[in-house]
Short mmCIF file of all heavy atoms in Angstrom, two decimals:
data_model
loop_
_atom_site.label_atom_id
_atom_site.label_comp_id
_atom_site.label_asym_id
_atom_site.label_seq_id
_atom_site.Cartn_x
_atom_site.Cartn_y
_atom_site.Cartn_z
N ASP A 351 79.99 57.17 100.36
CA ASP A 351 81.12 56.24 100.47
C ASP A 351 81.68 56.33 101.88
O ASP A 351 82.32 57.32 102.24
CB ASP A 351 82.18 56.61 99.44
CG ASP A 351 83.36 55.66 99.43
OD1 ASP A 351 83.48 54.84 100.36
OD2 ASP A 351 84.18 55.74 98.50
N THR A 352 81.46 55.28 102.68
CA THR A 352 81.87 55.32 104.08
C THR A 352 83.31 54.90 104.29
O THR A 352 83.77 54.82 105.44
CB THR A 352 80.95 54.43 104.93
OG1 THR A 352 81.03 53.08 104.47
CG2 THR A 352 79.51 54.91 104.84
N ALA A 353 84.06 54.65 103.20
CA ALA A 353 85.48 54.37 103.34
C ALA A 353 86.31 55.65 103.42
O ALA A 353 87.50 55.59 103.69
CB ALA A 353 85.99 53.52 102.17
N GLY A 354 85.69 56.80 103.19
CA GLY A 354 86.40 58.07 103.21
C GLY A 354 86.63 58.58 104.62
O GLY A 354 86.04 58.11 105.60
N SER A 355 87.48 59.60 104.73
CA SER A 355 87.93 60.07 106.03
C SER A 355 86.81 60.70 106.85
O SER A 355 86.90 60.75 108.07
CB SER A 355 89.06 61.09 105.86
OG SER A 355 88.61 62.27 105.24
N ARG A 356 85.75 61.18 106.22
CA ARG A 356 84.66 61.74 107.01
C ARG A 356 84.02 60.68 107.90
O ARG A 356 83.42 61.00 108.92
CB ARG A 356 83.62 62.37 106.10
CG ARG A 356 84.03 63.74 105.65
CD ARG A 356 82.96 64.41 104.81
NE ARG A 356 83.33 65.77 104.54
CZ ARG A 356 84.25 66.13 103.66
NH1 ARG A 356 84.88 65.21 102.97
NH2 ARG A 356 84.55 67.39 103.47
N PHE A 357 84.15 59.43 107.50
CA PHE A 357 83.59 58.33 108.29
C PHE A 357 84.66 57.58 109.09
O PHE A 357 84.31 56.81 109.98
CB PHE A 357 82.88 57.35 107.36
CG PHE A 357 81.63 57.89 106.75
CD1 PHE A 357 81.67 58.63 105.57
CD2 PHE A 357 80.39 57.68 107.34
CE1 PHE A 357 80.51 59.13 104.99
CE2 PHE A 357 79.23 58.18 106.78
CZ PHE A 357 79.29 58.91 105.60
N THR A 358 85.94 57.80 108.80
CA THR A 358 86.98 56.98 109.43
C THR A 358 87.92 57.76 110.34
O THR A 358 88.69 57.15 111.09
CB THR A 358 87.84 56.29 108.35
OG1 THR A 358 88.48 57.28 107.53
CG2 THR A 358 86.97 55.39 107.46
N SER A 359 87.92 59.09 110.29
CA SER A 359 88.86 59.87 111.08
C SER A 359 88.41 59.98 112.53
O SER A 359 87.28 59.60 112.90
CB SER A 359 89.02 61.27 110.48
OG SER A 359 87.87 62.05 110.77
N ASP A 360 89.27 60.54 113.36
CA ASP A 360 88.91 60.77 114.76
C ASP A 360 87.78 61.78 114.88
O ASP A 360 87.07 61.79 115.88
CB ASP A 360 90.13 61.28 115.53
CG ASP A 360 91.21 60.22 115.69
OD1 ASP A 360 90.88 59.02 115.51
OD2 ASP A 360 92.37 60.58 115.95
N GLN A 361 87.62 62.64 113.88
CA GLN A 361 86.55 63.64 113.88
C GLN A 361 85.35 63.17 113.06
O GLN A 361 84.66 63.96 112.41
CB GLN A 361 87.06 64.97 113.32
CG GLN A 361 88.09 65.67 114.19
CD GLN A 361 89.48 65.09 113.98
OE1 GLN A 361 89.84 64.66 112.90
NE2 GLN A 361 90.28 65.06 115.05
N TRP A 362 85.07 61.86 113.07
CA TRP A 362 84.04 61.32 112.20
C TRP A 362 82.65 61.89 112.47
O TRP A 362 81.84 62.02 111.55
CB TRP A 362 84.01 59.79 112.29
CG TRP A 362 83.61 59.25 113.63
CD1 TRP A 362 84.42 58.93 114.67
CD2 TRP A 362 82.27 58.98 114.06
NE1 TRP A 362 83.68 58.48 115.74
CE2 TRP A 362 82.35 58.49 115.39
CE3 TRP A 362 81.01 59.09 113.47
CZ2 TRP A 362 81.24 58.13 116.14
CZ3 TRP A 362 79.89 58.73 114.20
CH2 TRP A 362 80.00 58.24 115.52
N GLN A 363 82.36 62.26 113.71
CA GLN A 363 81.04 62.85 113.97
C GLN A 363 80.84 64.13 113.16
O GLN A 363 79.78 64.36 112.57
CB GLN A 363 80.86 63.15 115.46
CG GLN A 363 80.82 61.90 116.34
CD GLN A 363 82.17 61.59 116.96
OE1 GLN A 363 83.22 61.95 116.38
NE2 GLN A 363 82.17 60.95 118.10
N ASP A 364 81.89 64.97 113.14
CA ASP A 364 81.81 66.20 112.34
C ASP A 364 81.75 65.87 110.85
O ASP A 364 81.03 66.52 110.09
CB ASP A 364 83.02 67.08 112.62
CG ASP A 364 83.02 67.64 114.04
OD1 ASP A 364 81.93 67.74 114.64
OD2 ASP A 364 84.11 67.97 114.54
N GLY A 365 82.52 64.87 110.44
CA GLY A 365 82.53 64.50 109.03
C GLY A 365 81.19 63.99 108.54
O GLY A 365 80.72 64.35 107.45
N VAL A 366 80.54 63.14 109.33
CA VAL A 366 79.24 62.61 108.93
C VAL A 366 78.19 63.73 108.93
O VAL A 366 77.32 63.78 108.04
CB VAL A 366 78.83 61.45 109.86
CG1 VAL A 366 77.42 60.97 109.54
CG2 VAL A 366 79.82 60.28 109.73
N THR A 367 78.28 64.62 109.91
CA THR A 367 77.38 65.78 109.90
C THR A 367 77.57 66.60 108.64
O THR A 367 76.58 67.02 107.99
CB THR A 367 77.64 66.66 111.13
OG1 THR A 367 77.39 65.90 112.32
CG2 THR A 367 76.74 67.89 111.13
N ASP A 368 78.82 66.83 108.29
CA ASP A 368 79.18 67.62 107.11
C ASP A 368 78.57 67.07 105.84
O ASP A 368 77.86 67.77 105.10
CB ASP A 368 80.71 67.55 106.98
CG ASP A 368 81.33 68.91 106.93
OD1 ASP A 368 80.74 69.86 107.44
OD2 ASP A 368 82.44 68.99 106.37
#
Side-chain angles (χ1 to χ4, degrees):
D351 183 349
T352 60
S355 66
R356 279 183 173 76
F357 291 86
T358 62
S359 74
D360 291 342
Q361 293 81 33
W362 65 269
Q363 294 97 332
D364 292 336
V366 175
T367 299
D368 235 25

